[in-house]
């Protein structure tokens, strides 16, 4: 696919956040006032706080009022955004400037969801999209029972997360499977249940060189042929930028994409084929439309009301001023169970960097640790630590108002739990409040005051709550695009490149160097730990 004139445009100038006047202002504000902000006090003194710190974006309403910030913080963060040139850098991103500077590439996942005739590379994008959607509809009509996506990282997590989330929109009788790990415990039990006559394998890999994916694809093809499968052309498809490598593997049916689509931003491209097969062409178009609506919001809304920008700025405030090193994502919707895993790659592979665009070490924290589990399950596991542990961990609650099931009572209980958790984190409970309570399991010898301290909660623990009306292809598209642009915003302030991932290369190279040693047993030149472990694993 041709490189376009867009890529010759220079990326907008780079100003690192900590070198701005606003950053010093934020530091002073935090020391004088921001670190002592107490959510209970600021809510008590401002009845309008919910209205003033919530934002309606396309498909997503966000309550940011339970974060430890105030109007002065917000004003300084917006100044910071202006000083680092967030708007110019955003415009450069959308226009196809080579913002991925270490790989000399544009970053144009937004072009994948732009309507026909709009955005860079529209002809190429829509040609593949139409072909891919027509193929997906053909697969849905062809009597396949199982579709197996073989891919890892961005070639797995996005499609997997979306297909799970949109399960009510999927075609009955057509099962979707995702194999990613080079651990044979992933693919082996799956193959044991499949019928080669009615199974389609999609080999998904941007580069078509990834060890895990290539190894699993070989296993799948061998199994297919050994189990009586004959028509590889009908039962294998590939989604890749490396069309010639797919052809060399023996796959004719290939859907391409471009080097300006990052792996973790690729679910909107041909990598979304398993989504299109699962929910149909119309559903996939809705997913793109939702993401495009969020793109327009990010591209045009004033920063004061721009949700991805505000969330990205708040991330910087929490990470670099409050010093919160981790963020918990708690979706109160079982369909979003894989969202935290998806966000781990999106956020940590993007912003887990320690040098800026000039290669200088950054003197502040970048990506927080992102993790989570669906509510209410998390409440019965790690929420104890969120409420009473020694670290403050901001939580991102995601709730969906209208369920896709008929059990209204369960839905009410789910939503009440979600609200109660953010309330409990914020309000806490003092030992004085706890002392009068009956503790059902307390030892009779325990001093009441001691017990009350165990039963107290510090409170003032921040959270955001995102609300969707319903979990649909459109709203999910908007939600994912919101996260993408939030990552971009924080990355601009930090002055880093969110679009490369050199940090995964060293392990890959060392693995390749170790592989022949498993055969030969040669441990020469290895550190004693690696050598000792290798000897044990070979024994
Ligand atoms: O883990 C590194 C990585 O390059 C990810 O960025 C990417 O999503 C994944 O591997 C899979 O790569 P590919 O799609 O080329 O197989």
């Amino acid at each position: 696919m041709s490189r376009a004139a867009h890529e010759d445009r220079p990326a907008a100038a780079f100003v690192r956040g900590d070198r701005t006047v606003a950053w010093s202002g934020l530091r002073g504000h935090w020391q004088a006032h921001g670190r002592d902000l107490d959510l209970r006090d600021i809510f008590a003194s401002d009845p309008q706080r919910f209205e003033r710190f919530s934002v309606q974006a396309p498909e997503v309403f966000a309550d940011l009022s339970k974060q430890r910030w105030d109007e002065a913080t917000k004003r300084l963060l917006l100044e910071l955004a202006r000083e680092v040139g967030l708007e110019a850098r955003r415009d450069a991103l959308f226009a196809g400037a080579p913002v991925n500077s270490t790989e000399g590439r544009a970053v144009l996942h937004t072009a994948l969801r732009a309507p026909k005739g709009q955005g860079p590379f529209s002809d190429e994008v829509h040609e593949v999209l139409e072909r891919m959607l027509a193929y997906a509809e053909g697969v849905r009509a062809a009597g396949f029972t199982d579709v197996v996506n073989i891919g890892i990282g961005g070639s797995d997590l996005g499609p997997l997360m979306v297909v799970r989330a949109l399960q009510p929109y999927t075609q009955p009788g057509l099962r979707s499977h995702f194999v990613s790990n080079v651990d044979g415990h992933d693919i082996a039990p799956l193959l044991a249940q499949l019928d080669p006559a009615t199974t389609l394998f999609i080999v998904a890999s941007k580069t078509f060189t990834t060890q895990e994916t290539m190894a699993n694809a070989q296993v799948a093809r061998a199994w297919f042929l050994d189990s009586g499968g004959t028509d590889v052309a009908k039962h294998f498809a590939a989604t890749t930028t490396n069309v010639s490598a797919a052809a060399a593997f023996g796959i004719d049916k290939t859907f391409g994409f471009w080097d300006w689509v990052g792996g973790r931003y690729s679910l909107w491209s041909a990598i979304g084929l398993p989504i299109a097969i699962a929910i149909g062409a119309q559903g996939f178009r809705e997913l793109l439309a939702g993401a495009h609506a969020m793109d327009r919001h990010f591209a045009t809304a004033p920063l004061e009301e721009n949700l991805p920008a505000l969330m990205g700025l708040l991330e910087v405030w929490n990470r670099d001023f409050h010093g919160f090193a981790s963020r918990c994502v708690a979706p109160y919707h079982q369909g979003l169970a894989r969202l935290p895993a998806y966000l781990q790659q999106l956020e940590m592979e993007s912003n887990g960097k320690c040098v800026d665009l000039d290669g200088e070490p950054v003197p502040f924290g970048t990506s927080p640790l992102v993790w989570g589990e669906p509510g209410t399950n998390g409440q019965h596991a790690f929420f104890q630590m969120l409420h009473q542990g020694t670290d403050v961990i901001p939580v991102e609650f995601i709730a969906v108002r209208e369920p896709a099931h008929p059990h209204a009572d369960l839905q009410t209980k789910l939503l009440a739990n979600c609200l109660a958790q953010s309330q409990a984190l914020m309000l806490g409970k003092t030992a004085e409040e706890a002392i009068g309570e009956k503790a059902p399991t307390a030892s009779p010898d325990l001093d009441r005051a001691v017990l009350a301290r165990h039963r107290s909660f510090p409170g003032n623990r921040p959270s955001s709550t995102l609300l969707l009306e319903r979990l649909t292809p459109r709203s999910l598209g908007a939600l994912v695009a919101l996260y993408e642009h939030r990552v971009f915003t924080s990355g601009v302030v930090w002055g880093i490149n969110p679009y490369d991932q050199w940090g995964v290369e060293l392990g890959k190279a060392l693995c390749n160097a170790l592989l022949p040693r498993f055969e030969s047993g040669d441990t020469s030149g290895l550190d004693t730990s690696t050598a000792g472990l290798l000897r044990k694993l070979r024994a």
Side-chain angles (χ1 to χ4, degrees):
M1 310 281 170
S2 61
R3 269 173 193 276
H6 308 98
E7 296 195 31
D8 298 330
R9 288 185 203 163
F14 135 67
V15 178
R16 206 174 73 190
D18 62 316
R19 296 178 177 144
T20 60
V21 176
W23 188 280
S24 311
L26 280 161
R27 177 70 56 220
H29 164 67
W30 183 82
Q31 276 159 356
H33 180 60
R35 66 177 157 193
D36 300 323
L37 281 175
D38 190 303
L39 290 168
R40 292 157 289 208
D41 299 341
I42 51 184
F43 269 94
S45 66
D46 180 5
Q48 298 304 313
R49 184 169 169 84
F50 172 69
E51 283 75 20
R52 289 197 295 111
F53 286 89
S54 56
V55 180
Q56 179 66 61
E59 303 289 334
V60 185
F61 174 85
D63 172 18
L64 308 178
S65 64
K66 290 195 188 92
Q67 290 285 347
R68 275 160 50 176
W69 64 338
D70 63 7
E71 288 290 357
T73 324
K74 193 165 158 187
R75 184 177 45 72
L76 285 163
L77 286 171
L78 291 169
E79 279 173 25
L80 175 64
R82 298 207 166 89
E83 273 193 82
V84 298
L86 175 64
E87 288 160 299
R89 294 188 69 78
R90 172 199 64 195
D91 295 347
L93 174 88
F94 277 89
V99 297
N100 177 357
S101 56
T102 56
E103 296 179 309
R105 291 176 183 168
V107 177
L108 277 172
H109 42 277
T110 52
L112 300 170
R113 52 240 188 171
K116 200 167 182 170
Q118 293 178 29
F121 300 108
S122 187
D123 291 349
E124 289 102 312
V125 165
H126 283 270
E127 187 273 319
V128 178
L129 179 64
E130 296 302 333
R131 221 160 34 80
M132 196 257 284
L133 294 182
Y135 175 74
E137 286 297 331
V139 170
R140 286 160 68 84
F144 284 105
T145 55
D146 297 89
V147 176
V148 182
N149 189 78
I150 299 176
I152 197 163
S155 299
D156 167 67
L157 289 163
L160 167 59
M161 181 275 287
V162 171
V163 170
R164 295 274 189 277
L166 299 178
Q167 194 278 332
Y169 295 84
T170 59
Q171 174 163 304
L174 183 53
R175 292 177 289 270
S176 302
H177 311 276
F178 293 85
V179 169
S180 53
N181 201 339
V182 78
D183 179 354
H185 297 103
D186 199 359
I187 196 166
L190 174 62
L191 293 178
Q193 350 159 347
L194 296 175
D195 176 354
T198 56
T199 299
L200 173 71
F201 291 97
I202 301 170
V203 183
S205 175
K206 177 176 170 179
T207 55
F208 228 76
T209 57
T210 302
Q211 181 201 61
E212 294 92 328
T213 302
M214 294 302 105
N216 276 319
Q218 299 283 6
V219 168
R221 186 172 53 185
W223 169 86
F224 179 75
L225 296 173
D226 291 350
S227 321
T230 48
D231 194 349
V232 172
K234 183 176 165 205
H235 290 269
F236 281 79
T239 53
T240 184
T241 58
N242 192 350
V243 176
S244 56
F249 186 88
I251 299 179
D252 304 328
K253 185 52 78 184
T254 300
F255 300 94
F257 59 108
W258 307 274
D259 68 359
W260 40 260
V261 181
R264 52 195 174 275
Y265 298 84
S266 65
L267 72 87
W268 325 98
S269 72
I271 291 292
L273 177 60
I275 303 173
I277 294 173
I279 65 171
Q282 189 47 35
F284 194 79
R285 287 188 197 283
E286 283 285 303
L287 183 78
L288 297 181
H292 180 66
M294 189 59 77
D295 292 343
R296 296 316 304 150
H297 170 78
F298 183 53
T300 61
L303 291 182
E304 294 71 6
E305 299 152 25
N306 193 313
L307 186 56
L310 288 172
M311 288 177 70
L313 293 168
L314 195 47
E315 185 90 314
V316 174
W317 171 244
N318 278 344
R319 181 77 181 93
D320 296 313
F321 295 89
H322 283 307
F324 305 147
S326 152
R327 196 180 89 244
C328 174
V329 178
Y332 278 65
H333 191 301
Q334 196 61 29
L336 294 173
R338 293 298 286 164
L339 182 70
Y342 170 78
L343 293 177
Q344 286 183 326
Q345 188 198 15
L346 178 68
E347 301 199 27
M348 297 200 278
E349 199 172 73
S350 294
N351 280 343
K353 310 286 164 64
C354 63
V355 297
D356 69 16
L357 290 167
D358 285 338
E360 296 295 326
V362 293
F364 45 74
T366 55
S367 175
L369 167 66
V370 179
W371 58 284
E373 277 290 318
T376 58
N377 296 10
Q379 291 173 209
H380 298 274
F382 51 78
F383 269 61
Q384 161 65 38
M385 176 189 170
L386 298 179
H387 287 293
Q388 288 188 318
T390 49
D391 290 295
V392 175
I393 300 175
V395 183
E396 208 153 84
F397 294 95
I398 303 172
V400 179
R401 197 180 64 76
E402 199 181 298
H405 61 70
H407 310 291
D409 179 51
L410 294 181
Q411 178 67 3
T412 310
K413 288 188 165 74
L414 178 76
L415 296 180
N417 269 284
C418 180
L419 279 192
Q421 289 302 318
S422 69
Q423 232 188 346
L425 285 166
M426 170 171 82
L427 297 176
K429 187 201 281 183
T430 61
E432 291 68 42
E433 286 166 338
I435 205 159
E437 292 175 343
K438 274 210 168 68
T441 57
S443 147
D445 305 331
L446 192 61
D447 183 273
R448 281 168 68 86
V450 171
L451 181 60
R453 285 202 291 279
H454 284 281
R455 290 170 56 87
S456 69
F457 292 67
N460 198 28
R461 301 213 159 180
S463 68
S464 298
T465 301
L466 305 182
L467 296 184
L468 308 183
E469 271 297 297
R470 291 189 305 139
L471 188 58
T472 62
R474 186 175 281 262
S475 67
L476 183 60
L479 181 69
V480 175
L482 165 64
Y483 278 102
E484 289 177 345
H485 296 317
R486 171 225 208 129
V487 164
F488 171 79
T489 300
S490 307
V492 167
V493 174
W494 288 324
I496 58 177
N497 179 8
Y499 302 111
D500 62 13
Q501 55 285 319
W502 301 108
V504 301
E505 295 304 324
L506 178 59
K508 288 184 191 173
L510 293 180
C511 175
N512 286 335
L514 279 171
L515 274 173
R517 293 180 187 260
F518 271 80
E519 187 64 35
S520 67
D522 174 18
T523 58
S524 58
L526 293 179
D527 63 87
T528 54
S529 164
T530 308
L533 292 170
L534 178 62
R535 273 194 293 273
K536 280 196 170 292
L537 287 169
R538 285 187 80 250

